[in-house]
Amino acid sequence: MAAIGAAAALAGLISAAGPATASAGAACRTAPTALGALPGTEVAWPKEGVRALGRGNLSVGSSRGKAVYWTGTTVHRVPVPDSRAESELLGVNQRGLMVGRYRPYGTTTQVGFTYRAGDASVTELPGGAQWGGDLDVNDSGRVVAGGYGDRTIRVYADGALERTLTLPEELGPDTYVYTVGGINSRGDVVATVQKVEPDTGGRVEHSYPVLWPGDEGPAQILPQAGGGGNTSWVAGIAADGTIVGSDWYGPGYEWTPWVWSAPLGTPGSSPGRLSTHPYASLDGVSPTTGVAVGAARSHPDDAGNGADQAVLWPGSGPMLALPRLAAGQASEAVAVSDDDRAGGSAVNASGATRAVVWTCASRQAYLPS
């Protein structure tokens, strides 16, 4: 009975209208807030951290390799069918609809699902287990699903397949989805598509950012980040169509943050990096305010520049640093909301990775000296 009562209370907190809005008078912190963790030992993957931010004090992600959501700092485990499965939540909309994936124990494929706080179980997406498992959800409840190796991307509405997005024919037959960057409020979907160059025996590939408009117009191949040659990694799309991501040279672990500004059609540009690190990535964008977040990065073998550090880009001006959870320890931000919260992961003074949220993130952000 206690569990039923708790679920009912939680369902009231996060109703169909969305989670309760945080108090407007809540004090801004000057450091990230570490969120609660499930019992047990930290695992390497899925990484401990926030993946997306909902309305009010709702955030979603993974703890101890399991899908969880948080109300404030309180952690709640999502009931996936296989208790041994690796799982994580990847997105949440303003009405509290969450999306995630789990990998059944002993398999290499993943099952996508939706979930609302208080539900007795997750609702699996049609189609069963898939190799690729990237998911996102917009405020109309449309879920985009796809991932590495897929030949199509799927859009679901009300639990049913609504659209199947095919790869641009002009890229040729030997193409596949690399990552799905997300879906915005208009239903626009963005992804990175890999093209295997012919007559190279599969040894040469090039990546292209691709946009599928929500009005069901033809797919658009966007200019490659950084002039091409590396991976054009797309991470998110805002309501106005602005896309953020990175130019990524994998063998050298070199990241250059990149923004394709709306209206699309120009090559895009980089907002620059922190002076303290040689590289940076953009890994999330707010729905409507134009704020992006990510991480300042160094090569793993180069300790001279210090650990990775979460960053915030206000939409203009220089890249800014977000405070660390502990001095000298790594952090990254992958989600940012219109109400000025950022979410991600950070290592504490004991060396443990924690899910974190920066409240009043733009006021915490600073330009390193």
Side-chain angles (χ1 to χ4, degrees), residues 33-43 46-50 59 61-78 325 344-346 348 352-357:
T33 298
L35 308 185
L38 293 177
T41 304
E42 182 182 332
V43 299
K47 185 177 183 178
E48 196 93 7
V50 171
S59 50
S62 178
S63 177
R64 305 299 191 251
K66 307 299 181 184
V68 299
Y69 63 96
W70 294 267
T71 49
T73 59
T74 303
V75 64
H76 311 273
R77 184 169 173 175
V78 173
L325 185 60
S345 304
N348 65 17
T353 303
R354 300 294 301 274
V356 295
V357 169

Side-chain angles (χ1 to χ4, degrees), residues 86-102:
E86 296 176 350
S87 60
E88 58 185 328
L89 287 175
L90 298 172
V92 59
N93 69 9
Q94 292 297 294
R95 299 181 65 83
L97 180 64
M98 311 174 200
V99 294
R101 62 190 179 192
Y102 74 91

Side-chain angles (χ1 to χ4, degrees), residues 252-345:
Y253 201 77
E254 298 173 5
W255 298 82
T256 300
W258 206 259
V259 178
W260 293 264
S261 298
L264 301 172
T266 61
S269 61
S270 173
R273 311 174 179 88
L274 293 187
S275 61
T276 53
H277 292 72
Y279 313 119
S281 63
L282 288 179
D283 304 305
V285 62
S286 63
T288 67
T289 58
V291 178
V293 294
R297 302 182 182 275
S298 300
H299 193 283
D301 296 334
D302 183 5
N305 295 298
D308 292 356
Q309 182 167 7
V311 298
L312 179 146
W313 183 60
S316 62
M319 189 81 74
L320 303 174
L322 286 168
R324 300 180 186 273
L325 185 60
Q329 299 283 28
S331 62
E332 64 177 2
V334 300
V336 59
S337 64
D338 283 344
D339 65 358
D340 203 23
R341 289 173 295 142
S345 304

